[in-house]
Amino acid sequence: MTASLDDLALLLPPPPGPVAAPPWDRAEAEFGLQLPGDYRAFVERYGGGVLTADHGGLELLEVFAPCPAPPPPSVQWPGSRVLRGGFHGLLDIQAYEAQTFEGIDEDDWGGPVHPFHPAPGGLVCWGTNEAGDSFFWLTQDPDPDRWPVVMWARGPVTTYWTHGGMVAFLLELLSGRHPASSLVDRPGIHWTMESDWERRGLAITAGAA
């Protein structure tokens, strides 16, 4: 896991300075699940934030991370209840995604339609982007480090599965080895940290690799 994260840092430099880590021991009680080790390591190095290109400022991938402070009203999602802070905020994201995907069928999903967490074995959304793509874990395995990553691409509707975790998915995406790598095939890809466990509303940008 550490080597993979170090490999990712060569493609996507992390933000400078310390990142306040969430108290992961609270995740199971407040979110209902422990979260994968590679995701926890990513958040401890990168925080929560967005993958962006220099030109156009399009958010190519937002990775959610728990932060005690709830998002301000200006960034609350339309049509959703008020998002809370901490691990409960991650639960609110799942409720919003479940509402967004309500009524989707197998043709749109590309296979069996899975429920959302907190349904047993349901999908957990860990990221989205401005193109309408969503990024999940399927939590059917009791070991979170064995959860596959599922990318649901909106146009054309396609699902991609990665067995190896979120960091492995990001490595494939950024190195050009993933079928959806065209998403990030543009100059000046960089990471901007927007939150950690102690702060929200940040804009700490790391230089492009």
Side-chain angles (χ1 to χ4, degrees):
M1 179 177 61
T2 301
S4 294
L5 198 61
D6 288 342
D7 291 341
L8 180 63
L10 297 176
L11 297 173
L12 186 69
V19 177
W24 300 112
D25 57 334
R26 289 168 45 180
E28 192 159 1
E30 297 179 15
F31 183 64
L33 295 168
Q34 187 51 273
L35 294 161
D38 66 329
Y39 166 78
R40 286 180 279 148
F42 177 92
V43 169
E44 290 174 9
R45 188 176 294 194
Y46 288 85
V50 293
L51 190 67
T52 310
D54 281 344
H55 302 291
L58 184 69
E59 293 184 0
L60 304 171
L61 173 58
E62 177 180 5
V63 177
F64 307 126
C67 177
S74 61
V75 298
Q76 293 285 345
W77 293 355
S80 70
R81 65 182 181 179
V82 174
L83 296 179
R84 295 170 289 177
F87 292 98
H88 293 111
L90 297 183
L91 273 179
D92 295 339
I93 289 171
Q94 310 317 309
Y96 176 82
E97 285 291 308
Q99 175 185 321
T100 301
F101 279 79
E102 185 176 0
I104 195 170
D105 60 23
E106 291 191 2
D107 289 339
D108 287 329
W109 181 251
V113 180
H114 299 286
F116 278 79
H117 178 70
L123 294 162
V124 167
C125 181
W126 56 263
T128 59
N129 65 22
E130 290 186 353
D133 307 324
S134 296
F135 304 84
F136 306 99
W137 295 291
L138 183 61
T139 66
Q140 292 177 340
D141 196 296
D143 180 357
D145 291 332
R146 295 173 61 89
W147 293 345
V149 167
V150 187
M151 174 184 175
W152 187 87
R154 181 171 294 276
V157 174
T158 311
T159 53
Y160 302 103
W161 293 72
T162 299
H163 295 272
M166 187 194 84
V167 170
F169 167 79
L170 292 175
L171 275 169
E172 288 187 13
L173 192 71
L174 290 166
S175 64
R177 301 194 308 267
H178 194 277
S181 289
S182 59
L183 176 71
V184 293
D185 185 18
R186 57 197 73 200
I189 296 294
H190 58 267
W191 174 258
T192 298
M193 184 171 75
E194 296 184 334
S195 68
D196 63 10
W197 185 254
E198 295 180 351
R199 303 165 293 175
R200 187 181 288 280
L202 304 173
I204 302 174
T205 298

